[in-house]
Amino acid sequence: MAREFSTVGVVGLGTMGAGIVEVFARNGIDVVAVEISEPALERGRATLKGSTDRAVAKGKLAEADRDALHERVHFAVGLDALHSVDLVIEAVPEHLDLKQRIFAELDRVCRPETILATNTSSLSVTEISVATSRPNQVIGIHFFNPAPVMKLVEVVRTVVTAPEVVADVEALCARLGKVDVTINDRAGFIANALLFGYLNHAVSMFESHYATREDIDAAMKLGCGLPMGPLALMDLIGLDTAYEILDTMYRRGGRDRRHAPVPLLKQMVTAGLLGRKSGRGFYTYERPGSPVVVPDEATPLATESALADGARAIAKVGVVGSGTMATGIIEVFAKAGYEVVSVTRGMEKSAKVCEAVKTSLNKGVVRGKLTEADRDAALGRISWSATLDHLADVDLVVEAVVEELSVKKALFASLDEICKPGVVLATTTSSLPVIDVAMATQRPADVVGLHFFNPAPVMPLVEVVRTIRTSPEATATARAVCAALGKTGVVCGDRSGFIVNALLFPYLNDAVKMLEASYSTADDIDHAMKLGCGYPMGPFELLDVVGLDVSLAIQRELYLELREPGFAPAPLLEHLVTAGYLGRKTRRGFRDHSHR
Ligand SMILES: NC(=O)c1ccc[n+]([C@@H]2O[C@H](COP(=O)([O-])OP(=O)(O)OC[C@H]3O[C@@H](n4cnc5c(N)ncnc54)[C@H](O)[C@@H]3O)[C@@H](O)[C@H]2O)c1
């Protein structure tokens, strides 16, 4: 029989604690909510009220249920109020000595059978547990932010946690409507171990002016379907908490440099820029605690005239190539009203591309996204050619040929001879340095990267890559074109992986390493990222879709360019590729897809 939890205590009512109180009270459990001082208690009370009021306003909670919820919560200053609860969850700042002190005190105050739990993200539950005389009743219950929304709970057992305590806490999670994964005590558990290297890397991109905060966040939201960008997420987590988590992970997790907090983080924390909770972090908020971002001095002007500032007029576009990307890009430009010249290596190929574009446009008609007249007009704007000479009078060329530097360089050298002056020359490469391609021409200032995502007609993001030789006008033109296509163009420097792949693939590679180390299963890791972080797919699902060979190639490029030891491809990934398990396309990758 699972233990009954009728009253629980929550210590610390900050970002996490207030949310955890709400989770319990919503599920009919009485809560004793404890803070260090009256003002802190008031803040916690206000956070709970604000959150439940929002839930009522959104129609997610009835008024009567909200009132009943509040009646279940008893607020108090000091740990003594916890003398008769069945379980305590501690959610104070991420400092080992503070947590150890609180656990020693809880051990003294609470009944002998009370379970003591920590919500730590990165500290050792084992080290916290030995501050008590009951380490077998100490466990990690790691909720995700915001606790009332995120479905996942990581249950962390130490080597001495009693099995019945683990079972009781698992049953409690189910009662709270949460999905739990039970794991051993390792820095960052599943989700944070995979998340924080990525977050820190995003901060370093911002710190080095590789891209703006808006562009980094938009890239990950639109390129990967994440619920929020990494810098907005840092603000939500709290930069002080994020700093402590990184610092602990660095020290506990084998001194991986990717977890060494980026210096900017420390400076922001020292300056009191803690994120949402202080009203200012990477972004500025309406007021402390508010989720509403307000413009500040770094906010870009989003008006069309600002986007078009310095941009050249583009009416006619050449697209070179006959693969998936070229086909999608031709469709995107033609639908947006541009005159398009498609150039392939022969009329047979042109006929195939033409067929593919027609099929895709017809699908749009069937789905009601396009009228027949629009389809015919789009097709009427495309001319098909097998010679580059037809690009003599276009305003923009988008190259989407095979991903081989020698081929692309030769093509750009030819374009340089054929195209009129002032044309913007764009490559869709996803892994080659754009500057190499640019230097094959006599006009590197006019060369940019335009990295579309697959399928181009669907994906809303384009990475605009500027090299050290790209002119501001060429960049402005590329941005304006993206806007005219209805896409979001994000500008970044010319480094391997641009924004999205540089942030995405090391995380996927880390997931493979975690699996290889037998810390958790592919199912639990996928669960953790989907239910804990709101990712649309778990890392193993995504790897199987993208293709393990493609993922390995990208990861190798990143490793070669940045020489970051943590980017070395996971041996398991290499072995699966060698074995021919490439993902869905070969019906087997991390999972067996032969029956689906
Ligand atoms: N922020 C996140 O996204 C997140 C997610 C999961 C887990 N966590 C973990 O949750 C814990 C709390 O983090 P947070 O972000 O909520 O921190 P926070 O700074 O927002 O809140 C901490 C609260 O603890 C209170 N406190 C400090 N000392 C206390 C004491 N002696 N007794 C009672 N209350 C005390 C503070 O007044 C503050 O309100 C940390 O261990 C953190 O790693 C954080």
Side-chain angles (χ1 to χ4, degrees), residues 236-303:
L236 174 69
I237 292 168
L239 302 196
D240 50 346
T241 302
Y243 176 86
E244 293 301 334
I245 293 174
L246 280 167
D247 194 49
T248 315
M249 299 229 338
Y250 176 72
R251 283 186 280 106
R252 282 187 72 206
R255 302 199 176 252
D256 183 340
R257 287 195 318 190
R258 290 178 304 151
H259 290 136
V262 170
L264 177 66
L265 266 181
K266 179 78 182 179
Q267 291 161 28
M268 291 176 76
V269 172
T270 308
L273 309 178
L274 305 184
R276 275 191 199 183
K277 60 183 160 190
S278 72
R280 178 129 196 207
F282 289 103
Y283 296 91
T284 304
Y285 298 85
E286 211 170 27
R287 63 190 131 68
S290 163
V292 181
V293 174
V294 294
D296 58 20
E297 65 282 356
T299 306
L301 296 170
T303 60

Side-chain angles (χ1 to χ4, degrees), residues 10-18 20 34-37 40-41 43-44 78-79 90-95 98-99 101-102 118-123 141-146 192 196 233 236-238 240-242 244-245 277:
V10 177
V11 184
L13 307 178
T15 307
M16 289 311 292
I20 295 170
V34 165
E35 258 291 351
I36 194 170
S37 65
L41 198 64
R43 268 200 309 276
L79 302 181
E90 160 281 311
V92 304
E94 190 78 342
H95 297 290
L98 173 65
K99 294 199 191 256
R101 251 187 294 127
I102 288 188
T118 172
N119 184 50
T120 183
S121 309
S122 58
L123 294 168
I141 305 185
H142 184 233
F143 284 88
F144 285 76
N145 189 2
N192 285 347
F196 271 83
L233 179 54
L236 174 69
I237 292 168
D240 50 346
T241 302
E244 293 301 334
I245 293 174
K277 60 183 160 190

Side-chain angles (χ1 to χ4, degrees), residues 7 29 49-50 64 97 131-132 258 276-277 300 338 365 396 410 416 473 486 491 509 514:
T7 312
I29 297 173
K49 186 167 179 315
D97 50 347
T132 74
R258 290 178 304 151
R276 275 191 199 183
K277 60 183 160 190
Y338 290 91
V365 173
L396 165 72
D416 193 25
E473 295 75 36
V491 178
N509 192 49
M514 183 178 274

Side-chain angles (χ1 to χ4, degrees), residues 76-134:
V77 171
L79 302 181
D80 287 339
L82 301 170
H83 52 80
S84 51
V85 301
D86 304 312
L87 168 120
V88 179
I89 298 196
E90 160 281 311
V92 304
E94 190 78 342
H95 297 290
L96 182 61
D97 50 347
L98 173 65
K99 294 199 191 256
Q100 284 183 324
R101 251 187 294 127
I102 288 188
F103 271 72
E105 183 71 8
L106 288 172
D107 191 33
R108 200 181 53 72
V109 170
C110 296
R111 294 196 317 244
E113 65 275 19
T114 301
I115 294 175
L116 305 181
T118 172
N119 184 50
T120 183
S121 309
S122 58
L123 294 168
S124 159
V125 179
T126 315
E127 281 181 58
I128 295 171
S129 76
V130 293
T132 74
S133 63
R134 56 178 107 176

